[in-house]
């Protein structure tokens, strides 16, 4: 079994040892096609991403804004299946040797079967799963199987999370903590804001896990800002928008690589 939680932990630790935040990219599987989606993940790594989250497209993505909803719709109309998500993880990890996670809502896993999903994700070399809508109180079955297969369980915390609840969430998680920078859905924003910095500080007070910030980061300056106080910078909508705006498939992959390079400089303080 390859690509386990240890690779993810080692990657985040290596970034910290370099005195910088990690760059974590998000790209939906099957967008605009399964093959192009795989090439986009590889391009993100090639450009400088340390970790990539592969999204499992969902028909009701409650956390995702219009840009990612559009990409999910394209992927779903193209017939993307969980098998395609696993293939994306497998081929991207095999080609790069770098940590690839899946970000998914709970319902598809529940329908697919927790044991089947975790076994297949581990076999594909996946490092773990980000579960934005699974409360830690209801995550016992998932955690049992994830731990058996060496997979990280990444929970999402938000500015509305009280300190007592933060401590319980971080105690149940592994790999890293996903700190949503503000209330609302994913998407690019003018400013990431002070809420994120406060949330990172409060989360760090409860755990030794790296705290990575997502929702709103879209350019090198914002990446540099978040990198100054977080262990990782998560960027999704900006990558997807570049692909949606590209004139053709080759340009879409190049756009991912270019943005990853710009953001990688940002997390190194070169905004």
């Amino acid at each position: 079994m390859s690509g386990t939680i240890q690779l993810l932990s080692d990657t985040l630790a290596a970034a910290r040892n370099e005195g910088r935040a990690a760059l974590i990219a998000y790209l939906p599987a099957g967008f605009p096609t399964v093959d192009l989606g795989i090439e986009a993940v590889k391009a993100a790594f090639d450009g400088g991403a340390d970790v990539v989250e592969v999204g499992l497209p969902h028909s009701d993505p409650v956390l995702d804004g219009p840009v990612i909803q559009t990409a999910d719709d394209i992927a779903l109309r193209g017939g993307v299946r969980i098998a395609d998500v696993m293939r994306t993880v497998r081929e991207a990890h095999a080609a790069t040797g770098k940590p690839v996670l899946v970000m998914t809502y709970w319902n598809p896993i529940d329908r697919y079967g927790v044991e089947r999903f975790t076994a297949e994700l581990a076999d594909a070399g996946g490092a773990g799963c980000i579960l934005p809508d699974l409360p830690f109180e209801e995550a016992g079955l998932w955690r049992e199987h994830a731990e058996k297969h060496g997979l990280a369980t990444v929970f999402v915390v938000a500015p509305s999370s009280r300190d007592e609840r933060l401590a319980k969430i971080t105690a149940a998680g592994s790999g890293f903590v996903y700190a949503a920078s503000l209330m609302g859905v994913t998407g690019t924003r003018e400013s990431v804001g002070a809420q994120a910095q406060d949330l990172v500080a409060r989360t760090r007070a409860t755990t030794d896990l790296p705290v990575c910030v997502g929702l709103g980061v879209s350019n090198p300056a914002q990446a540099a800002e978040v990198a100054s106080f977080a262990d990782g910078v998560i960027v999704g909508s900006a990558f997807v928008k570049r692909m949606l705006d590209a004139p053709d498939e080759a340009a879409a992959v190049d756009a991912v690589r270019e943005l990853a390079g710009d953001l990688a400089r940002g997390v190194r303080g070169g905004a």
Side-chain angles (χ1 to χ4, degrees), residues 30 44 113 115 164 222 232 253 255:
E115 168 59 23
E164 181 183 356
Q222 289 174 335
V253 173

Side-chain angles (χ1 to χ4, degrees), residues 156-162 166 169 178-183 199 202-203:
V156 178
V157 298
S160 59
S161 304
R162 296 181 180 274
L166 281 177
I169 294 170
Y178 187 126
S181 64
L182 69 174
M183 304 305 293
L199 178 58
R202 292 195 297 118
T203 304

Side-chain angles (χ1 to χ4, degrees), residues 59-206:
S59 57
D60 186 26
V62 293
L63 187 71
D64 295 312
V67 170
I68 291 175
Q69 285 185 26
T70 298
D72 279 3
D73 185 54
I74 291 168
L76 290 167
R77 283 191 280 114
V80 71
R81 297 289 183 265
I82 287 179
D84 300 312
V85 177
M86 297 299 178
R87 181 188 154 208
T88 301
V89 172
R90 181 185 304 278
E91 293 193 15
H93 173 67
T96 65
K98 294 181 178 178
V100 183
L101 299 100
V102 168
M103 186 167 187
T104 179
Y105 296 97
W106 177 244
N107 191 45
I109 295 177
D110 193 36
R111 292 208 319 256
Y112 196 71
V114 177
E115 168 59 23
R116 180 184 178 193
F117 188 94
T118 51
E120 290 183 7
L121 181 56
D123 184 65
C129 218
I130 301 164
L131 300 159
D133 68 339
L134 179 65
F136 76 90
E137 298 96 333
E138 300 172 20
L141 180 64
W142 165 265
R143 289 174 60 200
E144 174 190 339
H145 288 289
E147 288 167 13
K148 180 169 79 171
H149 291 292
L151 299 170
T153 297
V154 179
F155 289 116
V156 178
V157 298
S160 59
S161 304
R162 296 181 180 274
D163 292 351
E164 181 183 356
R165 184 167 180 79
L166 281 177
K168 292 177 180 177
I169 294 170
T170 58
S174 55
F176 64 91
V177 182
Y178 187 126
S181 64
L182 69 174
M183 304 305 293
V185 298
T186 59
T188 62
R189 289 175 172 82
E190 292 299 315
S191 172
V192 178
Q195 269 191 323
Q197 190 164 358
D198 175 68
L199 178 58
V200 169
R202 292 195 297 118
T203 304
R204 277 184 173 155
T206 72

